[in-house]
Amino acid sequence: MAAIGSNIEIRPFSIDIPEEKLTDLQSRIAATRLPTKELVADRSQGVQLATVQGLARYWSADYDWRKVEAKLNALPQFTTEIDGLTIHFIHVRSQHKDALPLIMTHGWPGSVIELLETVGPLTDPTAHGGSADDAFDLVLPSLPGYGFSDEPVEIGWDLGRTARAWAELMHRLGYTRYVAQGGDVGAGVTDAMSRQAPEGLIGTHTNLLVPALNGPMPTNTDDERAAAAQIATFQRSGNGYFVEMATRPQTIGYALLDSPIALATWMVDHDTDSYYKISHAFVDGQPSGNLTRDHILDNVTLYWLTGTGTSAARSYWEAYGPDAPAAGGEPLPPQPIPFGFTTFPGEIWKTPRSWVDASYPNVIYFNEVDKGGHFAAWEEPELFASEVRAAFRPLR
């Protein structure tokens, strides 16, 4: 493996997508060949035709990429080379004294865009009903192969390698005491960071229980059995995207790079709760929280314009694929770094407190909230930010 700190320069970054790329996108949407309507009344055959038609109409007629481009460029963005890759990240320093540094990692099919609405509540909590004592300096990196970060050109960029890169990033930014948070793939990176226990990391928080993906969990109580049944349902009929990307990311990658509608349908066909919320936004004009048509397409368009559909898919092969270098390796032991967890009702499974205690030896925070799903930071940013603030409050 290459040296982590081969080039410590941190460079300002801004986005300026050429207009011809946006014109090409519109042409490709217009030229899409759609299949006939599904033969069932629900999503059991996949993304429904009405959802795709509504998405395509809005993408063609009403969506404006330049708005989110301006929003991103209004934030301090940077790149730096770590372990041979150029990593893109947003870095917002709080105006409040003694703000706690926080590195927060997105997942798939997300990007830093899914975290944008949390920037204000986390860096300036007094403007969002919170206390100045809860402020964070916020670091939002783009995962390798996602968005504006380089895609790996060699195998081996698994969750652990990304975790080491994030520790180097925080060190490079001058932080000697910091916390980490993640959901989805970001939860995997954060879990790896907690087990690697790099110098300076004092606590972690996730909203997806990573150990539950790695093997059977206890089923001694009604809550545990209910959670295990939800996982079994997901593995039986809801994880087609997971299996394909963990075993054949290159195959699906050809469609993801060639057709924007193929990319969009692949990205919205995630868990059942999120899918129906996104579908309602496009079919009925009824978004769930912050899962609006524009915000959903901001994320999809970012993948399209950066051409990272395939490289993002490969991250699942690296993390979970049976043929990847990380396959079969012994997991790192739990470390006594303080850990917090929030369970959201629309998540793939409802994690019981007992599973959290069985997975991490030093749980300092657990809470079950009443709204939000798998993309909690995206859907309910204010609630999500309040959970992050509460989880790390004991460490201040």
Side-chain angles (χ1 to χ4, degrees):
M1 177 175 150
I4 287 284
S6 57
N7 182 354
I8 64 171
E9 182 184 3
I10 295 174
R11 300 171 295 276
F13 180 84
S14 64
I15 304 162
D16 184 15
I17 298 297
E19 190 64 31
E20 53 264 31
K21 280 196 172 187
L22 301 177
T23 301
D24 176 69
L25 169 60
Q26 290 298 317
S27 297
R28 288 172 181 266
I29 295 171
T32 302
R33 293 195 307 168
L34 294 176
T36 55
K37 187 177 184 297
E38 63 280 354
L39 304 180
V40 292
D42 57 19
R43 68 166 298 214
S44 59
Q45 288 190 339
V47 178
Q48 294 158 294
L49 180 61
T51 301
V52 178
Q53 290 172 326
L55 184 152
R57 280 194 300 268
Y58 191 83
W59 209 356
S60 295
D62 299 300
Y63 176 72
D64 183 2
W65 161 259
R66 296 301 184 192
K67 290 182 179 179
V68 72
E69 183 177 84
K71 187 174 186 178
L72 285 163
N73 284 338
L75 295 170
Q77 297 181 89
F78 305 91
T79 60
T80 191
E81 184 183 321
I82 302 177
D83 198 5
L85 292 185
T86 296
I87 299 297
H88 164 263
F89 63 98
I90 296 168
H91 184 201
V92 183
R93 295 184 185 271
S94 176
Q95 64 180 346
H96 298 293
K97 185 180 178 182
D98 299 323
L100 180 62
L102 164 64
I103 184 166
M104 195 155 67
T105 311
H106 65 85
W108 185 93
S111 66
V112 292
I113 284 174
E114 74 180 83
L115 305 174
L116 291 183
E117 301 302 321
T118 69
V119 171
L122 291 173
T123 61
D124 188 14
T126 58
H128 297 265
S131 165
D133 294 337
D134 285 334
F136 294 92
D137 280 355
L138 190 58
V139 179
L140 305 177
S142 295
L143 287 164
Y146 289 68
F148 295 104
S149 284
D150 279 354
E151 67 174 72
V153 295
E154 61 181 1
I155 61 173
W157 271 95
D158 57 12
L159 298 172
R161 189 169 177 178
T162 302
R164 290 189 290 273
W166 280 193
E168 168 62 19
L169 176 59
M170 296 303 280
H171 171 74
R172 194 171 293 185
L173 293 172
Y175 293 127
T176 58
R177 183 177 184 272
Y178 65 94
V179 292
Q181 198 285 329
D184 193 80
V185 175
V189 173
T190 304
D191 175 82
M193 291 182 75
S194 74
R195 296 169 192 274
Q196 293 170 0
E199 184 178 357
L201 180 64
I202 63 168
T204 61
H205 172 270
T206 71
N207 48 291
L208 181 76
L209 193 70
V210 174
L213 292 171
N214 298 331
M217 300 295 286
T219 53
N220 301 314
T221 68
D222 288 344
D223 285 345
E224 291 175 345
R225 285 188 286 271
Q230 288 178 310
I231 293 174
T233 297
F234 172 71
Q235 292 175 334
R236 183 176 61 252
S237 61
N239 70 339
Y241 74 92
F242 188 106
V243 172
E244 180 72 12
M245 294 198 301
T247 58
R248 293 295 185 269
Q250 190 72 15
T251 301
I252 189 61
Y254 295 105
L256 303 183
L257 267 289
D258 187 63
S259 166
I261 294 299
L263 175 67
T265 55
W266 189 251
M267 292 174 69
V268 303
D269 192 14
H270 195 269
D271 63 286
T272 298
D273 176 76
S274 298
Y275 167 75
Y276 280 125
K277 288 172 178 174
I278 292 170
S279 180
H280 285 310
F282 285 106
V283 176
D284 307 315
Q286 298 177 353
S288 176
N290 205 45
L291 286 176
T292 66
R293 293 177 296 185
D294 283 307
H295 288 152
I296 294 160
L297 287 173
D298 288 342
N299 188 57
V300 176
T301 308
L302 175 66
Y303 272 65
W304 176 261
L305 296 174
T306 57
T308 50
T310 306
S311 53
R314 290 189 196 122
S315 72
Y316 271 62
W317 185 91
E318 291 281 8
Y320 311 110
D323 300 317
E330 288 295 322
L332 293 170
Q335 294 290 330
I337 291 177
F339 177 76
F341 187 84
T342 302
T343 182
F344 291 85
E347 185 53 273
I348 299 171
W349 70 89
K350 183 180 177 181
T351 297
R353 171 68 189 259
S354 58
W355 281 11
V356 178
D357 289 332
S359 302
Y360 297 93
N362 189 5
V363 177
I364 60 168
Y365 182 81
F366 176 88
N367 194 31
E368 179 182 328
V369 296
D370 61 0
K371 58 182 177 179
H374 184 76
F375 301 104
W378 206 357
E379 183 182 352
E380 300 290 344
E382 294 278 355
L383 174 61
F384 182 85
S386 72
E387 284 299 299
V388 174
R389 294 196 297 261
F392 291 123
R393 199 166 288 141
L395 302 178
R396 291 188 179 265

